[in-house]
Amino acid sequence: MNKYPQQNNPQDITDFSFVNFLRLCADKWWWFAICLVVSVGVALFYLYTKQPKYKRFEQILVTEQDSKGGINDITNSFTTLGLFSKNTNVYNELITMISPAIMYEVADTLNLDMNYSVRDGLRLKTLYGRDLPFQVKLQDIDRQEGAALRIKVNQDGSKNLLKFVSYKEGVKTKLKGEITLAPGATSAQTPLGLIEIIPNPSYSGKIKEANYEIRVSKLPMQATVEEYGKKLYGDLVDQDADVIELSIEDVSVQRAVDILNYIITVYNNNWIEDKNRMAVATSLFIDDRLRAIQSELGGVDRNIADYMKKSGVTDIEITAQANLELGSRVEEEAIKAANQLSVAQYLQDFINNESNLTSLLPVNMGIENPELAVQINRYNELLLARNTIMENSSASNPLVVNYDNQLQQLRNVISTGVNNQVNNLRNIVSNLNKEMNRMSSKMAKVPEDNLPLLGEERQQMVKESLYLFLLQKKEENELTRKFSADNIRVITPPMGSLEPVSPKKALIIIVACILGLGVPFLLLYYLEASDTTVRSRKDLENIMPPFAGEIPLAGKKNHIKTTDKPLDVVKEGKRDVVNEAFRVVRGNLDFMSGRKDAHQAIMFTSFNPGSGKSFIAYNLALSFCLKNKKVLLIDCDMRHGSASLYAGMPGQGLSNYLTGETDNWNSLLYAGETNKNLMILPIGKIPPNPAELLENNRLEKIIEEAKQEFDLVFLDCPPVNIVADTQLVAKWADRTVFIIRAGLLDRSALSELNEFYEEKRFKNLCVILNGTEPIHSRYYTYGNYQSLEQNL
């Protein structure tokens, strides 16, 4: 005989059927109904208490281009080849627009740190713009502190200020006091300091102006900037476009529109201010150079006048005309080179002057070096960014230090480039002067005395040309300053859907329904899948003892108390599921016995109390009685006497016979209420020593004599392994019926049942499964079949 494998791990046996699980869900429909009602109720409460948010977006085109070509032109040429990204500058502008610095100015201008709300049903409604009857100014509250109060508007126009709260360094403090403002009064001294109430001229009057309460709260400015910074979102509309889209979500549509509009205004103002700073620096540089050249021109004019006075020359133009015509081309080149050299030297002196370390470098000075011009523009942009951070920080700020390092490196590069430019121009000027001197030496007709005058006149022309050149640049710089255009252009004004973006009602209701149905579903699945108890016949497929049958659940699901009378469900003429189940068990026991005329003593036991031994024994006895069998039911559970309840728990019974109080056990029998073929021997009084009484030979005598008088003797015994009573009775029984209660016995105990069978600890051991629920029972189909048969 093969050994039955040990079932120490309950997970070794699985009996999960999805169809049965669906039946269980249908049986627990009220779980789903309650959870669905609760989840949908919570969702509706959330929707009614949550203030809806609306989304507004704005699209902006970045229009700033490099008018000088140079590196940007080269970059644009290679953009389509994927070598460069033309949106680098656009990303910089995007980061600038959504920066905390911009949001700080917006929050400060629009007073976003002040919030106003009124109770609107279950939710608070935010007031802003035309919906706000007045604005509140907390004059004595610092910008980085928080506060709150409530203003109640009375019927006569007066206002009550109450429920003052102060927030300092994260500590909330409630302040006592209530202030009443007379009609028309606009300020009052309160526990929060001086408070001003300024009427809103654009108030639309949609809210009733009497007997309502406005909740006023002030957030610290830093917290306000962080809060609205999280709401603001910006991105490129397309990776190959220069269009930026800004969007923000807010409970007030007007406030969202105002924030987007003012972000553009602040950005444009900062852009123009930065451009003007560079123009002002260039203008100051040009003015300084003009003053120096004007002084030099005055010296040259005095030298010419002195020479003409000393030499007596009155008209040197005719004399110099011929020489100038011969060398006009060379002179023009020399003048141009000299101009560039002077500008480069001015710029070199300006860069080398340590007092100008924090000053912007002049731009558009006519230096024909595109790379150097780009470097100067980059230096000025970095210096502006560095100075902006320094306004709200110190020189030790890591960002300032980083900018200083970049500026120093770039200034060195620019200084090197300017020095190289000066050296190149000096070589050019020197070569041109040599050429001029060579040509002058050939002019034999020119008097030697006029040569110094020609040099002075040449210097005069150079200075005048440079002076005019600087005047032209000054005018160009002033025009640039006056006509500074915005860097961006709004192509889509703030707009958006009239429907709120949150809370999403349909989605929340759907999620609530899913949770309402899913939670009980998962809970039932967990309970079903994690249940390690025997639930159906399938869990007993591999047990070694013969299976006598299963009894579906009858009556209440809970275990019957020992003080309650067990159910008597087997009745003549009844064809329900339970009666048919007992008929099947009866047939199986007859088949196992083999000898139809043999009188047997059958013992009923189990592993667990509450398994239904007495219920099975009594109703199975009634089932045999319907076949005109005489059955005696002896209650051998001397500690509880569950079977004795069928006889009304009389005071006389088995214990009286076992103790020797009487020798006639037949006088202690009670006839069954349902069938006269059934007799019951109750326990009588519960003895103090049941094990000793059952061990004597008087019980054996009863069983042997009863087998002669009755066809079957049923012995209702206590559970095994709890007390020794069952083992004592087992030696006089011809067959043992082991009752397993579905949902009570753990599957790990089945290995011990196999050991009982292998070791033959109980004679002719067989098993009955009791209390199977319809979804786990094969009689579920029978019930449906019986209903169909009745309908037919």
Side-chain angles (χ1 to χ4, degrees):
M1 184 177 296
N2 294 330
K3 286 278 186 179
Y4 180 76
Q6 297 295 316
Q7 300 181 23
N8 294 327
N9 187 0
Q11 296 180 352
D12 293 340
I13 301 178
T14 58
D15 181 29
F16 182 81
S17 170
F18 189 72
V19 175
N20 289 340
F21 177 67
L22 292 180
R23 292 172 181 170
L24 176 62
C25 292
D27 184 54
K28 303 294 185 182
W29 63 268
W30 52 275
W31 285 29
F32 293 88
I34 293 175
C35 289
L36 188 62
V37 170
V38 171
S39 61
V40 173
V42 172
L44 292 176
F45 179 78
Y46 173 79
L47 291 175
Y48 281 117
T49 56
K50 189 69 173 179
Q51 193 171 185
K53 289 184 178 180
Y54 300 87
K55 182 178 181 180
R56 288 296 176 267
F57 68 92
E58 184 175 25
Q59 292 183 347
I60 308 108
L61 174 65
V62 180
T63 59
E64 173 68 12
Q65 301 293 335
D66 185 4
S67 61
K68 297 296 182 183
I71 294 177
N72 282 349
D73 289 340
I74 298 174
T75 302
N76 293 332
S77 300
F78 287 97
T79 297
T80 56
L81 298 179
L83 300 180
F84 297 98
S85 174
K86 81 170 190 176
N87 281 329
T88 302
N89 291 334
V90 181
Y91 276 115
N92 293 337
E93 305 310 318
L94 171 60
I95 295 173
T96 302
M97 290 181 191
I98 63 177
S99 65
I102 298 289
M103 183 55 70
Y104 191 95
E105 291 190 47
V106 174
D108 186 43
T109 303
L110 299 179
N111 295 321
L112 297 182
D113 57 333
M114 298 298 299
N115 293 289
Y116 308 86
S117 61
V118 294
R119 175 65 64 180
D120 183 18
L122 296 178
R123 65 167 64 101
L124 289 175
K125 180 180 179 181
T126 297
L127 303 180
Y128 180 83
R130 298 179 61 190
D131 293 334
L132 183 62
F134 49 78
Q135 292 184 342
V136 177
K137 288 191 175 181
L138 306 176
Q139 300 290 359
D140 297 331
I141 300 297
D142 188 79
R143 300 173 66 85
Q144 299 304 329
E145 294 180 358
L149 71 150
R150 297 189 184 184
I151 301 177
K152 183 179 180 182
V153 180
N154 300 316
Q155 188 71 36
D156 58 356
S158 63
K159 300 177 181 66
N160 293 337
L161 282 62
L162 62 158
K163 296 185 178 180
F164 301 96
V165 179
S166 174
Y167 297 91
K168 291 184 179 180
E169 298 180 354
V171 179
K172 177 181 178 181
T173 305
K174 293 184 178 180
L175 306 176
K176 296 181 179 180
E178 180 174 343
I179 307 299
T180 301
L181 280 180
T186 59
S187 63
Q189 193 68 32
T190 69
L192 292 175
L194 180 62
I195 292 181
E196 285 190 62
I197 299 180
I198 304 173
N200 184 7
S202 62
Y203 175 50
S204 61
K206 293 182 179 179
I207 302 177
K208 187 179 178 182
E209 284 202 29
N211 298 325
Y212 71 95
E213 188 176 78
I214 296 180
R215 303 181 182 210
V216 182
S217 62
K218 180 192 178 302
L219 290 176
M221 184 57 70
Q222 184 66 30
T224 303
V225 172
E226 292 177 358
E227 178 183 351
Y228 284 95
K230 294 177 182 178
K231 296 179 181 180
L232 181 64
Y233 177 77
D235 198 2
L236 294 184
V237 175
D238 188 88
Q239 295 300 317
D240 296 327
D242 294 335
V243 178
I244 295 173
E245 180 175 290
L246 298 179
S247 62
I248 190 170
E249 295 181 6
D250 197 76
V251 296
S252 172
V253 174
Q254 185 59 48
R255 184 164 60 186
V257 172
D258 290 347
I259 291 174
L260 292 178
N261 285 333
Y262 208 76
I263 286 175
I264 304 304
T265 301
V266 172
Y267 172 83
N268 281 329
N269 291 340
N270 291 345
W271 170 266
I272 294 174
E273 184 179 353
D274 290 344
K275 289 296 182 182
N276 287 340
R277 285 180 182 176
M278 289 190 287
V280 169
T282 302
S283 179
L284 293 176
F285 175 80
I286 292 175
D287 289 340
D288 183 60
R289 294 300 97 193
L290 287 174
R291 286 191 294 269
I293 294 172
Q294 188 174 9
S295 176
E296 293 174 1
L297 274 174
V300 173
D301 291 340
R302 283 192 298 271
N303 291 337
I304 292 175
D306 292 342
Y307 178 82
M308 293 176 67
K309 181 178 180 181
K310 180 179 179 180
S311 62
V313 178
T314 58
D315 188 0
I316 63 172
E317 293 182 359
I318 297 175
T319 305
Q321 183 65 34
N323 295 330
L324 292 175
E325 289 177 355
L326 293 174
S328 60
R329 186 174 180 178
V330 177
E331 287 181 355
E332 288 178 1
E333 294 179 0
I335 291 171
K336 182 178 179 180
N339 289 339
Q340 293 184 13
L341 176 60
S342 297
V343 173
Q345 288 175 338
Y346 294 156
L347 185 58
Q348 184 182 41
D349 295 337
F350 185 87
I351 294 175
N352 294 332
N353 191 347
E354 294 183 357
S355 62
N356 297 326
L357 289 178
T358 59
S359 300
L360 295 171
L361 299 181
V363 295
N364 298 329
M365 293 300 298
I367 297 177
E368 295 182 356
N369 189 336
E371 184 176 357
L372 184 60
V374 171
Q375 292 172 348
I376 291 175
N377 285 328
R378 176 59 178 163
Y379 178 89
N380 289 337
E381 291 175 356
L382 289 176
L383 184 58
L384 288 173
R386 184 258 186 196
N387 292 339
T388 301
I389 296 177
M390 276 290 294
E391 292 177 0
N392 299 316
S393 182
S394 63
S396 60
N397 189 312
L399 291 177
V400 176
V401 174
N402 185 32
Y403 273 114
D404 288 341
N405 294 333
Q406 294 184 53
L407 288 170
Q408 183 61 40
Q409 294 175 4
L410 190 55
R411 193 180 185 94
N412 293 336
V413 171
I414 295 173
S415 178
T416 303
V418 172
N419 293 336
N420 293 334
Q421 186 75 3
V422 170
N423 293 331
N424 291 335
L425 290 174
R426 282 177 178 171
N427 292 331
I428 293 173
V429 171
S430 177
N431 293 331
L432 290 174
N433 288 333
K434 289 179 181 179
E435 181 67 18
M436 289 292 295
N437 293 331
R438 188 183 65 80
M439 292 179 63
S440 297
S441 64
K442 293 180 180 181
M443 299 177 184
K445 295 183 179 181
V446 178
E448 293 293 334
D449 295 338
N450 292 337
L451 291 179
L453 183 60
L454 292 176
E456 292 294 335
E457 289 179 342
R458 188 184 303 115
Q459 289 293 326
Q460 184 185 42
M461 294 177 64
V462 170
K463 299 298 182 183
E464 288 177 351
S465 176
L466 179 58
Y467 189 82
L468 293 175
F469 173 78
L470 290 176
L471 285 177
Q472 180 184 356
K473 289 299 178 181
K474 181 177 181 180
E475 292 300 322
E476 291 177 0
N477 187 65
E478 291 298 324
L479 287 175
T480 302
R481 182 178 175 184
K482 295 295 183 181
F483 295 98
S484 296
D486 292 341
N487 183 42
I488 59 176
R489 178 165 60 90
V490 176
I491 59 176
T492 302
M495 59 186 304
S497 174
L498 297 178
E499 296 295 326
V501 294
S502 70
K504 299 183 182 297
K505 296 182 180 180
L507 179 61
I508 291 176
I509 294 298
I510 291 174
V511 171
C513 293
I514 293 175
L515 290 177
L517 298 176
V519 169
F521 185 89
L522 294 176
L523 181 59
L524 287 174
Y525 177 83
Y526 171 77
L527 295 176
E528 187 75 1
S530 62
D531 188 4
T532 60
T533 61
V534 175
R535 293 175 293 173
S536 67
R537 172 70 181 88
K538 186 177 181 180
D539 292 333
L540 303 178
E541 286 180 350
N542 295 324
I543 62 173
M544 300 177 67
F547 184 73
E550 66 176 289
I551 305 299
L553 183 65
K556 298 180 180 180
K557 182 177 179 180
N558 296 333
H559 306 316
I560 301 173
K561 297 179 181 179
T562 56
T563 57
D564 298 334
K565 181 179 179 180
L567 297 174
D568 49 346
V569 296
V570 176
K571 299 183 188 301
E572 189 173 1
K574 292 191 67 175
R575 297 179 55 196
D576 57 21
V577 173
V578 178
N579 276 266
E580 291 300 325
F582 274 104
R583 290 187 179 97
V584 171
V585 173
R586 181 186 66 189
N588 290 338
L589 289 179
D590 281 340
F591 178 79
M592 293 176 187
S593 299
R595 297 172 299 169
K596 294 185 179 180
D597 297 333
H599 295 208
Q600 294 188 8
I602 302 177
M603 182 181 72
F604 294 84
T605 186
S606 65
F607 274 118
N608 310 101
S611 298
K613 302 183 308 302
S614 302
F615 166 76
I616 297 293
Y618 179 78
N619 285 279
L620 188 58
L622 288 176
S623 182
F624 276 103
C625 291
L626 294 178
K627 292 179 61 178
N628 293 321
K629 297 283 188 179
K630 295 182 64 178
V631 181
L632 172 62
L633 175 59
I634 302 177
D635 190 353
C636 296
D637 190 352
M638 305 290 289
R639 303 171 191 274
H640 293 93
S642 299
S644 301
L645 295 173
Y646 287 104
M649 204 67 182
Q652 298 290 322
L654 179 62
S655 60
N656 300 93
Y657 178 79
L658 294 179
T659 56
E661 294 180 12
T662 178
D663 292 331
N664 185 8
W665 58 270
N666 282 282
S667 63
L668 303 174
L669 300 181
Y670 291 84
E673 296 179 358
T674 305
N675 196 306
K676 299 302 180 183
N677 288 330
L678 174 63
M679 301 299 292
I680 301 174
L681 178 57
I683 61 172
K685 295 181 180 180
I686 297 178
N689 54 345
E692 287 76 8
L693 293 178
L694 293 174
E695 196 174 7
N696 63 40
N697 295 329
R698 294 178 71 85
L699 177 60
E700 181 184 9
K701 181 179 178 181
I702 294 177
I703 295 174
E704 293 299 327
E705 293 178 357
K707 288 167 64 176
Q708 301 299 323
E709 183 177 348
F710 294 89
D711 296 307
L712 293 170
V713 178
F714 285 0
L715 306 174
D716 183 18
C717 296
V720 300
N721 296 339
I722 296 180
V723 293
D725 302 7
T726 304
Q727 284 78 3
L728 297 176
V729 179
K731 57 186 178 183
W732 298 310
D734 300 308
R735 176 171 298 281
T736 300
V737 177
F738 212 95
I739 308 300
I740 295 178
R741 179 65 180 265
L744 182 62
L745 179 67
D746 195 277
R747 290 194 290 264
S748 61
L750 296 179
S751 58
E752 188 175 355
L753 182 62
N754 287 327
E755 293 178 0
F756 290 165
Y757 185 80
E758 280 191 321
E759 296 172 1
K760 297 182 179 180
R761 190 178 302 179
F762 300 98
K763 297 178 183 177
N764 299 318
L765 180 64
C766 64
V767 174
I768 294 178
L769 180 61
N770 179 36
T772 55
E773 297 187 40
I775 59 172
H776 296 301
S777 173
R778 61 189 177 91
Y779 289 101
Y780 181 83
T781 305
Y782 174 81
N784 295 335
Y785 165 76
Q786 185 184 38
S787 300
L788 178 62
E789 185 183 41
Q790 292 174 353
N791 292 333
L792 294 176

